[in-house]
Amino acid sequence: MSNDISQLLRSFYPTFEHFCQTTLHKPPQQLEATLRRLWLPLGMQIVSYRQAQSRTLIQGILGGQGTGKTTLAKILSLILEHLGYRTLSLSLDDLYKTYSDRLALQQQDPRFIWRGPPGTHDIQLGLQVLERLRQSDFDSPIEIPRFDKSAWHGAGDRGTPEIVNGADIVLFEGWFVGVRPIDPSNFDRPPPPINTFEDRQFAIDMNTRLQEYLPLWDKLDRLIILYPVDYRLSQQWRKDAEHQMIATGKTGMTDLQIEQFVEYFWKSLHPDLFIKPLLQDSQRVDLVIEINCDRSIGKIYRPGHPS
């Protein structure tokens, strides 16, 4: 390990210990190897990219359900702030259309049974927020949208915005951040669960809607992908999380509901069709972090260099 990372490990460890105990509810020893191998080097790398430019750095993080993108954003924020950089986490979820707008969307197109797919976000709001953060002089307050998932019995709505005075680094995470439209011929023989004619048409329409997100992705300076060794693992991870939540006395979805929920996302933007091609896209993706079956970190590589 380099001297820089060794020094950072020593100075950051008390913060890391507290984060493990209060947020992750795990002993720090369990995650120390990930801290050394991934989180600290990545934090220092992001700092070096920020130092190389004269404005806010917008770092994209793409990851499906259960891949740990929220945890990664939280731990990176702590590391970056420890290194003296004002850091803001923004989720694609924070850009959801309001509850009433999504109801209207569902009435126009009943296929929007859940929030999440392309079409359920306020892209103009995202563009305005990222542009304001990019131009920030740290003097004028900026409203950052925040989404309240508990509103309307879990349907969710826009909550009270967070007021910030700018940021050196923005960590912008979401399940399809940076994902681009693909050639429609890919839907001639799509993978399951895109099985019926209706499924195929839904996938084609979601692909078309992705076009609207390109101006948002163009604001990204860099993009990291969290990629499970098998995309189907996310369904089991979601079940595990739901079982844990139910065990604490909270209400949650049944296994069947989870399967339908996760498959809905696969039908809209199938990982094999939309994420896999990005693993080779060295122009738009800077780092791929593989997630093993047990959710530990596997290979870490630049696109086109998987070995």
Side-chain angles (χ1 to χ4, degrees), residues 128-161:
Q128 288 164 12
V129 169
L130 291 183
E131 195 51 44
R132 286 209 65 195
L133 285 164
R134 266 185 156 184
Q135 295 174 353
S136 168
D137 53 8
F138 295 109
D139 291 329
S140 50
I142 301 169
E143 284 195 0
I144 305 299
R146 294 302 185 200
F147 191 73
D148 179 4
K149 292 180 180 179
S150 66
W152 299 101
H153 306 289
D157 204 354
R158 204 167 292 164
T160 307

Side-chain angles (χ1 to χ4, degrees), residues 201-220:
Q201 194 55 52
F202 180 59
I204 290 168
D205 293 345
M206 292 302 98
N207 186 51
T208 302
R209 278 187 178 268
L210 264 185
Q211 198 72 33
E212 301 163 14
Y213 288 75
L214 296 182
L216 201 54
W217 307 157
D218 287 343
K219 299 285 183 195
L220 301 176

